Amino acid sequence: MRTRRLRQSILIIAQIITLLACLGATAFAQAPSPTPPPAPAAPAGSVWADMISVLIGHAGALLPLLQQELEGPLMPWLERLSWGMAVLV
């Protein structure tokens, strides 16, 4: 009984010391990072609609890659699910 109390009190003391060590650790500030170079200005004559159309073109080029990455691993599972639903119906 006495050894159990001793173990519990040692464990409690160890937890308190660990908690104080974690909370008492000081955080060192990072050195300020250099200022980033200014963003390139939009070419003269470009308008919002032109930028949106370019963005849509880039998104359209990425769409097949996203479909391949997402549908590829899920396709066998989806086929089994559809067969299971077909059996139930």
Side-chain angles (χ1 to χ4, degrees), residues 3-17:
T3 58
R4 184 177 178 194
R5 279 187 173 173
L6 181 63
R7 284 183 191 167
Q8 286 179 343
S9 43
I10 290 174
L11 182 61
I12 290 172
I13 291 171
Q15 288 175 345
I16 290 172
I17 290 172

Side-chain angles (χ1 to χ4, degrees), residues 51-63:
M51 290 188 277
I52 294 295
S53 65
V54 170
L55 181 63
I56 290 173
H58 287 300
L62 289 176
L63 193 60

